Amino acid sequence: MCDEEERVNFGGLLLFAVATFVAAPFVVTAAAARFIGARDKEQLLDLAAMTGITAPLVLSLVLSFLYTGTALLPEAARQTVAQPAAVAIVLLTIIIIAAYGRQQMTSVTRVMADAVRALRPPRSVLGWIALALVVFALVQAASLAVMENDALEYAAVAKYILREGSLASYPVVKADPQTGLFAPSSHPPAYHMLLVWGFATGGTESMAPLRITALYFILAITFLMVRILRLTPSPALGVSLLFATPLFVSMSVSYHIDAMRITAFTAACAMAVEFIRRPSWKEAVLAGYALGLALYAHSIGILAIPLTGIAFLVLADIP
């Protein structure tokens, strides 16, 4: 076995993938369902699409708080404390959310299982085109070499944060004396912290955290688009148009962050519309949750706020 393979912790990568992209979306959906009292199948699926799929960003946000807090520790102790604390705080966050949503666990499990069993091959040419485009994007995200500047920079900054054990030096406006890294990013550290979590558990020699994150959010935006467009004559048309857009696919499979930021942005807009259609303080909280994660995911999230205002003026029943 080569030295690189020896330094890749496959058990850690499995923990990263399952905790972040399976357990977190499931428990957040159950918690949201309990919060608003959702029991209808369609409402549960909508919650999964608009709140559950962005759950990995919740874990990223918690890790951002942790790595901000470790800046108060002596430099020599930061990394020693941060890495084991990251595992503990991620698992604790999932457990706390699961405990809150435990009453809806059975309902969410049943609805998700029914939705998977109900999957059938497309019944139209357009449906097959949409499926082929999504599969093609997934194959590219899983197999293409990580060589674009943005992806390499995000990975390098995440490894730097992991080595430093804190966010005290983020953004990297002073070149790292060890590597020469200089990355004055203007975005919140959402994607960086997902990678920090992946590198902390799986090792820094593998780019698997980037690939796993991209694969998840490509599937997530597909699911969200289908839910948003399910009452239209052809949801497949919307999915096809999205994945036939060269810039979106290229950036999603090469830069790896873009499917995540577009998913968070779209989920925020969809949740805001849901609040406008069924106004209540609980729906307002979920809309705030989605908008907040969109802002945290990427600086483009700020555009969700004016779009929400426009949607309110267009859709709200204002006397």
Side-chain angles (χ1 to χ4, degrees):
M1 182 180 292
C2 71
D3 185 51
E4 177 177 327
E5 290 176 327
E6 290 175 353
R7 287 180 288 179
V8 176
N9 184 341
F10 292 102
L13 285 176
L14 182 62
L15 171 64
F16 165 70
V18 172
T20 311
F21 304 114
V22 178
F26 176 75
V27 300
V28 167
T29 300
R34 181 194 169 182
F35 181 68
I36 66 171
R39 297 188 181 277
D40 176 74
K41 174 185 175 181
E42 295 300 320
Q43 194 174 11
L44 287 173
L45 288 172
D46 284 344
L47 283 175
M50 291 185 283
T51 63
I53 61 171
T54 54
L57 292 169
V58 175
L59 299 185
S60 169
L61 182 61
V62 170
L63 289 171
S64 290
F65 289 139
L66 170 66
Y67 274 71
T68 299
T70 55
L72 301 175
L73 299 174
E75 289 188 21
R78 290 174 184 175
Q79 185 181 34
T80 305
V81 172
Q83 290 199 36
V87 177
I89 200 167
V90 164
L91 296 179
L92 182 61
T93 299
I94 292 172
I95 290 170
I96 291 172
I97 297 173
Y100 176 79
R102 66 188 183 280
Q103 296 174 355
Q104 290 283 6
M105 291 287 192
T106 302
S107 298
V108 172
T109 302
R110 183 175 61 252
V111 166
M112 293 303 173
D114 289 345
V116 172
R117 284 194 293 266
L119 291 175
R120 296 290 184 273
R123 290 180 290 182
S124 67
V125 173
L126 192 56
W128 280 107
I129 292 173
L131 178 60
L133 289 170
V134 172
V135 171
F136 185 50
L138 291 170
V139 170
Q140 290 182 85
S143 60
L144 289 180
V146 180
M147 57 184 181
E148 292 288 347
N149 176 74
D150 283 26
L152 293 172
E153 181 181 309
Y154 278 115
V157 173
K159 292 175 184 180
Y160 172 77
I161 294 170
L162 180 65
R163 193 188 77 215
E164 291 293 302
S166 82
L167 281 169
S169 299
Y170 179 83
V172 189
V173 293
K174 293 177 64 177
D176 176 22
Q178 291 189 28
T179 64
L181 175 67
F182 175 73
S185 174
S186 61
H187 305 300
Y191 184 57
H192 296 99
M193 296 313 298
L194 280 178
L195 298 186
V196 168
W197 164 230
F199 290 143
T201 54
T204 58
E205 297 302 321
S206 171
M207 288 294 186
L210 285 79
R211 299 185 190 280
I212 294 169
T213 302
L215 290 169
Y216 170 83
F217 281 106
I218 288 172
L219 290 172
I221 190 62
T222 303
F223 175 48
L224 178 57
M225 288 290 291
V226 170
R227 291 306 301 173
I228 291 173
L229 300 172
R230 71 185 186 281
L231 299 179
T232 64
S234 181
L237 177 60
V239 175
S240 297
L241 290 174
L242 176 64
F243 283 91
T245 305
L247 185 61
F248 170 74
V249 175
S250 174
M251 294 176 73
S252 295
V253 303
S254 299
Y255 301 161
H256 295 84
I257 185 178
D258 292 272
M260 183 195 82
R261 65 186 180 93
I262 297 299
T263 299
F265 180 83
T266 309
C269 293
M271 195 67 240
V273 171
E274 189 72 10
F275 160 67
I276 293 167
R277 288 175 174 168
R278 292 189 293 187
S280 71
W281 73 269
K282 290 186 176 182
E283 293 284 357
V285 169
L286 291 185
Y289 157 88
L291 284 167
L293 289 183
L295 289 166
Y296 173 63
H298 195 271
S299 56
I300 192 178
I302 197 170
L303 295 177
I305 296 176
L307 287 177
T308 298
I310 294 170
F312 180 81
L313 294 175
V314 173
L315 300 175
D317 184 14
I318 303 175

